[in-house]
Amino acid sequence: MADILRVGVAGLGTVGASVVRLLQRQAQALSARTGREIVVTAVSARDPAKDRGVDLSGATFYEDPIALAASDTIDLFVELIGGAEGPARASVETALGKGRSVVTANKALLSAHGSALAELAESRHVALAFEASVAGGIPIVKTLREGLAGNSIERVYGILNGTCNYILSRMEAERLSFEDCLKEAQRLGYAEADPTFDIGGFDTAHKLSILASLAFGAKIAPEAVEIEGIERVTLADIDAAGELGFRIKLLGVAQRTAQGVEQRVHPTMVRKTTAIAQVMGVTNAVTIDADAVHELTLVGPGAGGDATASAVVADIADVARGVRSAPFGLPSASLRKLERAPAALHEGGYYIRLAVPDVPGAFAAIATRMAERKISLESIMQHGGRATRRIGDSPVGVILITHATTERLVREALDAIYADGTIAEPAQVIRIERE
Ligand SMILES: NC(=O)c1ccc[n+]([C@@H]2O[C@H](COP(=O)([O-])OP(=O)(O)OC[C@H]3O[C@@H](n4cnc5c(N)ncnc54)[C@H](OP(=O)(O)O)[C@@H]3O)[C@@H](O)[C@H]2O)c1
């Protein structure tokens, strides 16, 4: 058997402690599969005294993760601290700079600095692996980079944030408001005390930027992601979507178009019949449209200690076997600059909910503004159908579903409608994702 692989793990929280535990539990199987014994010889965290429910007796404790990354006593550095900067970035750069392979679950770090870190890893002939950084336990990085190497990818999209999917699922199932579902998610530990990062779509954007780079052979471009969170989704939208045969999901979508690559994160109408629409609760899913395989959907746990550790350990096993793939599927020099498709040129159907005063001519004026821009309507629904209450001339919820048009035309039509003073409040606009 080849030499022992000496692993240093920095970060012993939810993921780090689970990784150490899984490596210990699967030690025999991993050594049989990789031909090497894999041993955690050193660890780092802030608090050396904390009981982490895992046997660390054989490992040297480092208070400073950068010192661990620099230490010649390890062959592989595993970063599970988190954050785009600070000790996570410094320790990963140190390990790579020292010619040491790195495994990380850190999407924030990858999204911000992935291309530069990949270059550094390549220049030192070491691995940089990050399977756990997107969709937790779902092996989506390997699928895109290796499993689909013979395909040209048109689109990759998915439910990449369990918190948002949990909230939207609960709103639909229990008919609760967004605020109530968020509180419930916080109580159950699915959402942070400050939930902005999740519900604002930023976490999904980090993961999407990594997927886009892998799918399209481009340098990571987080600044090119259009981001809209789920805060404005109401029960009225969830109900209307259901009546029209849709479900609302927060999707991250990266799509090749004639104008370049679209990267967008937003609440999205998906047909209830699609695989992605069936994914409820904290579960994640990713669908890939590719020329040879057509459509492929992977569904699974997107977070949690064990599920994420499964992905981290798979990367560690690759390093043990001596596998060193180009981190983003191509040598760094071949990764092109991602050509950003302008958001205004996005083409697709739209759901538009308007509060229209119940006065003669109000709706006709709206229809005219749409028709002027050749926006054709697939359906028009008074929300709540027959059950809608009309009180005097108070606004009535009207839902329009458009045929494919562009974002620019929709925004122009709405600006004209606002200027006409026809509607009482800003419209709710949700893009419909084509099947
Ligand atoms: N949790 C998930 O389900 C999940 C899923 C996918 C990816 N990830 C990613 O995995 C990474 C870790 O997440 P997590 O949930 O395990 O985080 P966590 O529970 O907050 O653990 C973070 C760990 O880092 C240690 N740490 C923080 N600052 C440090 C410093 N300056 N020096 C040394 N150690 C330091 C902490 O030490 P103490 O314990 O002593 O405070 C703790 O052990 C993040 O990049 C996250 O995005 C997490």
Side-chain angles (χ1 to χ4, degrees), residues 221-233:
E223 71 289 348
V225 185
E226 307 283 337
I227 309 173
E228 191 185 314
I230 61 168
E231 309 91 327
R232 286 195 66 229
V233 176

Side-chain angles (χ1 to χ4, degrees), residues 87-247:
R89 180 181 180 190
S91 59
V92 166
E93 286 177 348
T94 300
L96 294 174
K98 285 263 179 188
R100 194 155 290 136
S101 289
V102 168
V103 169
T104 177
N106 190 337
K107 59 245 168 186
L109 176 71
L110 261 293
S111 181
H113 306 295
S115 302
L117 293 174
E119 246 173 74
L120 180 56
E122 201 175 302
S123 72
R124 302 302 157 112
H125 310 289
V126 292
L128 169 66
F130 46 86
E131 183 61 74
S133 65
V134 184
I138 302 177
I140 184 62
V141 172
K142 225 182 238 283
T143 299
L144 284 169
R145 193 179 52 205
E146 284 138 45
L148 298 178
N151 286 255
S152 173
I153 295 172
E154 281 306 309
R155 180 175 59 159
V156 53
Y157 63 103
I159 296 170
L160 303 172
N161 183 277
T163 308
C164 290
N165 206 49
Y166 172 82
I167 291 173
L168 294 171
S169 301
R170 287 282 293 181
M171 285 174 76
E172 180 185 335
E174 309 293 328
R175 306 212 65 266
L176 292 172
S177 70
F178 169 78
E179 290 74 18
D180 287 344
C181 291
L182 173 57
K183 276 193 209 124
E184 172 90 343
Q186 284 169 321
R187 195 179 60 75
L188 292 170
Y190 294 150
E192 303 284 332
D194 176 2
T196 321
F197 193 63
D198 289 321
I199 63 170
F202 304 103
D203 173 73
T204 300
H206 282 161
K207 295 166 182 169
L208 182 69
S209 65
I210 298 170
L211 292 184
S213 172
L214 288 159
F216 303 119
K219 286 190 192 298
I220 292 191
E223 71 289 348
V225 185
E226 307 283 337
I227 309 173
E228 191 185 314
I230 61 168
E231 309 91 327
R232 286 195 66 229
V233 176
T234 66
L235 206 47
D237 298 317
I238 302 250
D239 286 349
E243 285 175 51
L244 291 159
F246 293 98
R247 196 161 264 152

Side-chain angles (χ1 to χ4, degrees), residues 11-15 45-47 50 52 65 80 82 87 105-107 303-304 308:
L12 293 170
T14 307
V15 181
R46 276 177 302 211
D47 181 357
K50 197 158 158 184
R52 301 172 189 276
L80 301 168
N106 190 337
K107 59 245 168 186
T308 310

Side-chain angles (χ1 to χ4, degrees), residues 16-27:
S18 298
V19 165
V20 177
R21 206 173 295 120
L22 190 56
L23 285 172
Q24 289 171 351
R25 192 167 88 221
Q26 296 287 14

